[in-house]
Amino acid sequence: MSDKQKLVMVGNGMAGVRTIEELMKLAPDRYDITIFGAEPHPNYNRIMLSPVLAGEQTLDEIVLNPLDWYRSHGITLHTGSKVVAVDRVKRRVRAEDGTEAAYDRLLLCTGSKPFMLPVPGNTLQGVMAYRDIADTQAMIEAASRPGHAVVIGGGLLGLEAANGLRLRGMDVTVVHVGDWLLDRQLDQSAGRLLQDALQARGLAFRLGAHTEALLGDEAGRVRALRFKDGSEIPADLVVMAVGIRPNTELAEQMGLLVNRGIVVHDTLQTVTDARIYSVGECAAHRGTAYGLVAPLYEQAQVAANHLAEWGMARYAGSQTSTKLKVTGIDLFSAGDFMGGEGSEEIVLTDPAGGVYKKLVLRDDKLVGACLYGDTQDGSWYFQLLREGASLGSLRGQLMFGPPAERAH
Ligand SMILES: Cc1cc2nc3c(=O)[nH]c(=O)nc-3n(C[C@H](O)[C@H](O)[C@H](O)COP(=O)(O)OP(=O)(O)OC[C@H]3O[C@@H](n4cnc5c(N)ncnc54)[C@H](O)[C@@H]3O)c2cc1C
């Protein structure tokens, strides 16, 4: 028997496997590693489900760690195996299929669950969320027949779903409660430009629209969506993309503290049990559970450092930025791009050219950026924003990109 410590990871997704990859760099021989994943797949790039739906990539192309990777690193992988119980005293986990494993350290990376609007008809056939390979395959299958798809939610996920279904030949209407698209990522001017571009691609929109119910036929399949104002639109497929909730079911059952996610310290150890770590969308750090990959990868680095017993890293939270993966549409936003009292705005608009740029400054610092149509300088603005340095003489030239590039 090996005298290594045992590390068990629950959730074979992007954040978890990145943590293991980082750990392999720091301490490849410290643990016997066992991973449980509820999905029947090795780790794949969930972000790239949208290009798969749009027909731009295949499922094979988005696999991040093929089964060989686990084998060659001596990792025991149980796919299609959902962990349903953890005994924190005996330090054992048990999966639904009866598989058990003992741990010295446990890593919970259970991700999120899509939120389903609590409206009548939300369990009808043809009503679904957009989260994993199975959902993507179901949407591709539904789009093999002509019909009308309704996507509820005009956020990043909803627009990517709508774009993919449209490219596969469906008529698509996006239903959104906000007054403009991506209203948490863009201001109204940029949101309108985006809407024009998507309309030109054949998408239809109902904005400021509240869903009252989904209506079914006699066979229990969805056939229409009814709004609060009584109007209806036909629907052969309804995709809900109205938000996610940290998947904390198992953690709660184990008695870990959960508050907007599994509550963790700066070391990514849970506040309840120092043997148990949590990384990814399921974790709440200083009150925030992130829903984008970049911060989760930062968490992964820190968690790996502690699992390797280097004990040197601290996670202090992340700034996030936004991009939409609809080919041919460039947008970027970060920070406090809405501005408001106490802030200044520098704005460049070229509606005919489809370009809009807004930079928000406060106390001589860049605090937010919202770019549509020309996002070339997005990463530079993001860097300035994260550094929080005073702009000084840069201010006057800010709209025109980094000084070194202008010199060419
Ligand atoms: C279509 C789509 C597009 C996206 N696009 C972007 C983007 O452009 N940019 C970006 O930054 N982010 C994007 N995201 C979000 C990004 O994919 C997530 O932030 C990231 O995947 C979260 O990683 P995670 O490891 O926390 O969770 P996940 O990747 O969801 O992994 C969690 C895994 O744990 C498994 N699991 C849960 N409970 C158990 C259990 N009890 N036992 C065993 N296994 C369990 C789940 O089945 C899942 O496989 C997108 C998401 C989707 C769905």
Side-chain angles (χ1 to χ4, degrees), residues 202-275:
L203 293 178
F205 294 96
R206 289 283 299 254
L207 300 180
H210 294 262
T211 303
E212 184 175 76
L214 301 173
L215 313 175
D217 62 15
E218 282 159 13
R221 267 206 77 81
V222 70
R223 64 169 179 80
L225 178 149
R226 186 165 67 219
F227 294 104
K228 285 225 163 100
D229 67 6
S231 61
E232 291 181 11
I233 49 172
D236 303 296
L237 172 72
V238 172
V239 179
M240 290 211 193
V242 290
I244 51 174
R245 298 285 179 272
N247 182 0
T248 56
E249 200 181 327
L250 182 65
E252 281 172 68
Q253 191 200 321
M254 291 161 61
L256 301 182
L257 179 66
V258 168
N259 183 7
R260 295 188 194 158
I262 305 168
V263 182
V264 292
H265 290 299
D266 290 0
T267 56
L268 281 313
Q269 277 162 306
T270 61
V271 295
T272 318
D273 186 334
R275 283 183 185 275

Side-chain angles (χ1 to χ4, degrees), residues 264-341:
V264 292
H265 290 299
D266 290 0
T267 56
L268 281 313
Q269 277 162 306
T270 61
V271 295
T272 318
D273 186 334
R275 283 183 185 275
I276 304 180
Y277 293 68
S278 182
V279 167
E281 285 185 350
C282 59
H285 173 262
R286 300 188 190 174
T288 300
Y290 294 90
L292 293 166
V293 165
L296 310 185
Y297 280 2
E298 291 175 21
Q299 293 179 352
Q301 250 180 352
V302 174
N305 186 292
H306 286 274
L307 283 167
E309 291 174 16
W310 285 31
M312 283 174 355
R314 286 279 177 282
Y315 179 67
S318 304
Q319 287 259 21
T320 57
S321 65
T322 291
K323 276 184 190 153
L324 177 73
K325 298 190 301 303
V326 170
T327 305
I329 292 186
D330 294 322
L331 62 84
F332 171 90
S333 82
D336 175 12
F337 58 85
M338 291 303 276
E341 208 171 309

Side-chain angles (χ1 to χ4, degrees), residues 9-17 36-39 43-50 81-84 109-112 130-132 136 156-157 160 244 247 250 279-282 290-296 321 323-325:
M9 181 166 93
V10 181
N12 184 35
M14 295 187 75
V17 179
F36 289 83
E39 292 184 70
N43 179 38
Y44 60 90
N45 193 340
R46 196 173 299 283
I47 291 182
M48 289 307 182
L49 289 175
S50 294
S81 191
K82 180 180 173 188
V83 171
V84 288
C109 306
T110 48
S112 291
Y130 181 27
R131 177 73 194 173
D132 55 24
T136 310
L156 290 166
L157 204 61
E160 290 181 12
I244 51 174
N247 182 0
L250 182 65
V279 167
E281 285 185 350
C282 59
Y290 294 90
L292 293 166
V293 165
L296 310 185
S321 65
K323 276 184 190 153
L324 177 73
K325 298 190 301 303

Side-chain angles (χ1 to χ4, degrees), residues 50-72:
S50 294
V52 169
L53 181 65
E56 295 162 356
Q57 290 214 15
T58 64
L59 285 175
D60 284 346
E61 285 168 347
I62 69 166
V63 170
L64 289 172
N65 303 82
L67 294 175
D68 267 355
W69 177 86
Y70 296 85
R71 255 180 247 125
S72 64

Side-chain angles (χ1 to χ4, degrees), residues 60-120:
D60 284 346
E61 285 168 347
I62 69 166
V63 170
L64 289 172
N65 303 82
L67 294 175
D68 267 355
W69 177 86
Y70 296 85
R71 255 180 247 125
S72 64
H73 287 85
I75 296 169
T76 306
L77 172 67
H78 301 290
T79 56
S81 191
K82 180 180 173 188
V83 171
V84 288
V86 176
D87 184 330
R88 283 173 46 208
V89 178
K90 293 190 181 141
R91 302 209 300 266
R92 288 189 78 78
V93 310
R94 181 169 52 77
E96 213 164 27
D97 58 11
T99 313
E100 294 199 13
Y103 68 84
D104 297 300
R105 308 255 186 132
L106 180 67
L107 182 54
L108 295 179
C109 306
T110 48
S112 291
K113 284 187 174 173
F115 177 68
M116 299 300 275
L117 278 186
V119 292

